[in-house]
Amino acid sequence: MTTDQIRSSVSAGPGPAPALPLGRAGDRLVFLAEALRTFRSTGALAPSGAGLVNALVVPVTSRPDRPLSVLEVGAGTGTVTRRLARVLRPGDRLHVVEANPRFVRRLREDPDLGRLGPRIGLRLSACRLEELPECRPQAPDGGGPLGERYDVVVSGLPLTNFEPAEVRHVLDLYLRLLVPGGELTYFGYLGTTAARTLVSGPRRGARHRAVVRLLRRFEAAHGLGNRTVWRNLPPARAQLLRAPGGSAVSGSAGHSGRPARPEG
């Protein structure tokens, strides 16, 4: 299948798009098409590998014996979502946020999520994180009209593709959405600073370095540890962080406990 055929197979035309095969092969085709079309918001050429997925869901697999409320932001084709749906228990809640309409369609058609979703109160919001009611500063406490909070936030957003002000806003929202002591995971690819400067030029390289510095300050303030996943394509580092106050959600098993190191 050529690049043009991949793009056309998931085009957003007025009629229903041609169906792609379900499963890993179909996910990769959809993901690649969206990366070629909107790399800034997709951030990769393929879904996360199994090792990275396992690192991102640590707060859910190493958990207290009580119901959990989990928010996943930037679900893509659902690689992490399916893992969350499998390890969450009856009585838990999973709220998935995805802004890309092609990815949303993929998530809605996923048979595993259709089967497991009712057991864990799966909810899918087809919007940007900032558009959630919980993120609108309307309540007296600034937490939104519903005041909903989450024990765990799993982020798949490509933060180093964004402007520093955007990243700062997203991180602030994550802390607002977490209960005291709630945990956050996200990841970044290794070696991206040098690659971004080489490919995109000094201006974008400077923007990228500014975002990396911002993330490192955030990790120094809230980080519990990180895990490097060399077998991912490309290699990635998953970060585990905790919101101030409250008690721990997980034992942070599976992370190194070492301070975060620069991506580049």
Side-chain angles (χ1 to χ4, degrees):
M1 182 177 283
T2 66
T3 298
D4 288 341
Q5 287 172 324
I6 293 171
R7 285 196 181 108
S8 65
S9 67
V10 290
S11 65
L20 283 169
L22 293 172
R24 294 178 64 184
D27 284 351
R28 287 171 178 167
L29 286 174
V30 174
F31 207 99
L32 177 58
E34 291 309 290
L36 295 172
R37 194 179 69 87
T38 57
F39 185 77
R40 182 179 184 272
S41 58
T42 304
L45 296 176
S48 299
L52 181 55
V53 171
N54 289 337
L56 291 171
V57 304
V58 158
V60 176
T61 55
S62 175
R63 55 173 287 168
D65 189 19
R66 62 174 175 80
L68 290 181
S69 179
V70 180
L71 174 68
E72 182 190 5
V73 183
T77 55
T79 304
V80 175
T81 315
R82 286 187 291 273
R83 175 74 170 136
L84 287 169
R86 292 186 186 107
V87 299
L88 287 171
R89 304 170 184 171
D92 294 336
R93 291 184 298 122
L94 176 59
H95 185 184
V96 177
V97 177
E98 176 52 61
N100 185 307
R102 295 161 182 83
F103 290 157
V104 169
R105 179 189 175 210
R106 195 75 179 172
L107 293 167
R108 286 176 173 159
E109 293 175 346
D110 189 284
D112 288 337
L113 297 181
R115 175 174 53 87
L116 297 170
R119 181 176 64 90
I120 56 171
L122 175 63
R123 176 161 58 110
L124 174 60
S125 294
C127 66
R128 290 163 53 89
L129 172 68
E130 298 88 337
E131 296 168 344
L132 288 178
E134 297 94 318
C135 293
R136 298 172 189 160
Q138 298 173 4
D141 64 356
L146 301 180
E148 185 166 1
R149 293 293 182 270
Y150 300 91
D151 298 294
V152 177
V153 173
V154 179
S155 174
L157 296 180
L159 296 174
T160 54
N161 281 12
F162 300 164
E163 294 296 326
E166 293 177 293
V167 175
R168 187 177 299 108
H169 181 56
V170 167
L171 296 177
D172 287 344
L173 287 178
Y174 286 160
L175 290 181
R176 276 176 45 194
L177 289 168
L178 284 166
V179 300
E183 293 181 359
L184 163 68
T185 59
Y186 60 75
F187 69 94
Y189 295 118
L190 304 185
T192 54
T193 300
R196 188 66 58 95
T197 302
L198 181 64
V199 173
S200 304
R203 184 173 180 178
R204 291 189 180 180
R207 179 206 58 76
H208 184 85
R209 288 192 295 275
V211 170
V212 170
R213 288 194 297 270
L214 190 159
L215 291 172
R216 295 304 166 254
R217 290 195 296 270
F218 186 76
E219 290 152 15
H222 304 289
L224 296 177
N226 58 79
R227 181 196 292 182
T228 300
V229 185
W230 294 106
R231 288 191 173 187
N232 197 69
L233 185 64
R237 181 172 294 121
Q239 303 288 346
L240 175 64
L241 308 100
R242 181 174 295 155
S247 58
V249 173
S250 78
S252 67
H255 281 68
S256 68
R258 294 188 298 270
R261 293 174 290 172
E263 282 183 355

